[in-house]
Amino acid sequence: MVLLSFDIEEFDMPLEYKGEISFAEQLSISRNGLQEILVLLKKHSAKATFFSTVVFAENNKDLIGQLLNEGHELASHTWFHSKFEIEHLKKSREKLAGLFGTEVTGLRMPRMMKVDEKEVEKAGYSYNSSVNPTFLPGRYNNLKISRTYFKEGTVLQIPASVSPNFRLPLFWLSFHNFPVNFYIKLALVFLKKDNYLNIYFHPWEFAGIKDDKFKLPGFTVKNSGKEMVERFDDFLTYLNKKNYRFGTFQQFQKNLSL
């Protein structure tokens, strides 16, 4: 099973690099990218999981309703993308569920931030996909964490996919900076080894973010926008030809006998 997921949030990354972007533009860019994603997923009959902040969801109720109507899963990306308090775990899950009349069982912390797993369990989540089990300078060092799914208390932990030997990640930055054919070869290795693939992206990658005022590093904007749409289209086309099945995290969890 291929687990596609998207962290849908206010596009505040330029603020990390002292760039300029208004809140309205943060929402607009992510909205435009999400529309591109939904078109691609529908074209390829691929189901995905969307981890949304409450802020983004409240400002884009029509698109959240659309993705749910099209068979995708809604999960929590907490309340804000750049501000977190422990009570946001439960409040965001309940708010998203109430706004859209859907069961919210999954969590992904913004920027894969470390979180107290006991608090995640107390907040009512059944799975958490907040770990990239690799080393990313300045972000995290998770080399000692299992690179495949495992149980912690009652919560299923579903780390992002990395290679067995060198913990090479297949996350969004890899997709932008690796040649597509090389990325596909790695994906097939992971699928053969683990029998599933967990990869995550963001709507703003599919939108126009090559703006000098954002002050974003080249490796973050490479192959973004139109190029990202085309590369992702090719990726999904290949996986479909190989008859790989796309599923949501909830479906994946139901298939496990843990």
Side-chain angles (χ1 to χ4, degrees):
M1 180 180 284
V2 178
L3 300 174
L4 294 176
S5 63
F6 302 88
D7 296 350
I8 51 179
E9 64 213 22
E10 50 278 26
F11 175 52
D12 56 2
M13 189 166 70
L15 302 180
E16 294 183 59
Y17 297 95
K18 303 188 184 306
E20 299 176 8
I21 186 169
S22 68
F23 179 67
E25 196 170 12
Q26 292 176 34
L27 291 176
S28 175
I29 287 174
S30 285
R31 178 180 175 85
N32 292 341
L34 179 53
Q35 289 173 317
E36 295 283 1
I37 290 167
L38 291 175
V39 169
L40 287 172
L41 295 179
K42 189 172 185 178
K43 174 182 176 181
H44 294 282
S45 299
K47 302 306 177 191
T49 299
F50 291 84
F51 294 87
S52 181
T53 64
V54 171
V55 169
F56 182 85
E58 285 185 317
N59 285 276
N60 294 276
K61 292 180 182 177
D62 59 329
L63 292 184
I64 302 297
Q66 178 184 340
L67 70 86
L68 287 169
N69 288 336
E70 292 177 356
H72 305 297
E73 176 190 350
L74 179 64
S76 175
H77 203 37
T78 72
W79 202 282
F80 306 96
H81 194 247
S82 289
K83 184 173 73 172
F84 175 70
E85 297 175 8
I86 203 69
E87 55 263 31
H88 291 165
L89 291 174
K90 184 177 181 181
K91 286 183 177 180
S92 65
R93 184 183 64 78
E94 293 177 341
K95 184 67 172 181
L96 291 170
L99 278 174
F100 302 102
T102 189
E103 186 180 20
V104 175
T105 61
L107 170 72
R108 177 172 294 144
M109 292 295 292
R111 300 181 177 90
M112 294 288 198
M113 185 193 315
K114 187 173 177 56
V115 64
D116 187 335
E117 290 303 332
K118 292 182 180 178
E119 294 294 339
V120 174
E121 186 173 331
K122 282 167 54 178
Y125 293 97
S126 66
Y127 75 83
N128 183 11
S129 185
S130 300
V131 173
N132 195 342
T134 187
F135 172 63
L136 190 63
R139 286 287 192 198
Y140 39 71
N141 184 353
N142 296 322
L143 294 176
K144 293 183 179 180
I145 296 178
S146 172
R147 60 174 203 84
T148 56
Y149 63 84
F150 61 98
K151 260 301 190 51
E152 192 164 0
T154 64
V155 180
L156 178 67
Q157 304 293 324
I158 314 176
S161 289
V162 297
S163 64
N165 298 323
F166 302 104
R167 298 281 182 128
L168 183 67
L170 236 66
F171 66 155
W172 66 280
L173 278 175
S174 303
F175 194 85
H176 287 272
N177 290 279
F178 291 168
V180 174
N181 288 340
F182 179 63
Y183 186 93
I184 288 175
K185 286 182 180 179
L186 287 176
L188 296 182
V189 169
F190 295 178
L191 281 163
K192 184 176 181 180
K193 173 71 175 177
D194 301 331
N195 207 31
Y196 75 98
L197 182 69
N198 177 14
I199 49 179
Y200 65 96
F201 306 89
H202 311 82
W204 40 263
E205 301 172 52
F206 297 76
I209 59 173
K210 295 176 182 177
D211 192 320
D212 290 341
K213 72 177 183 180
F214 295 158
K215 298 183 180 180
L216 298 174
F219 65 87
T220 64
V221 300
K222 183 179 180 180
N223 292 314
S224 60
K226 182 181 178 181
E227 291 93 343
M228 179 63 174
V229 172
E230 293 173 351
R231 288 163 73 91
F232 205 72
D233 191 12
D234 291 342
F235 181 57
L236 296 186
T237 297
Y238 182 87
L239 291 177
N240 265 325
K241 285 183 178 178
K242 292 294 184 178
N243 295 316
Y244 284 106
R245 185 162 59 97
F246 299 94
T248 66
F249 281 74
Q250 286 179 344
Q251 291 170 336
F252 178 74
Q253 186 174 21
K254 287 177 182 177
N255 288 343
L256 297 177
S257 54
L258 292 179

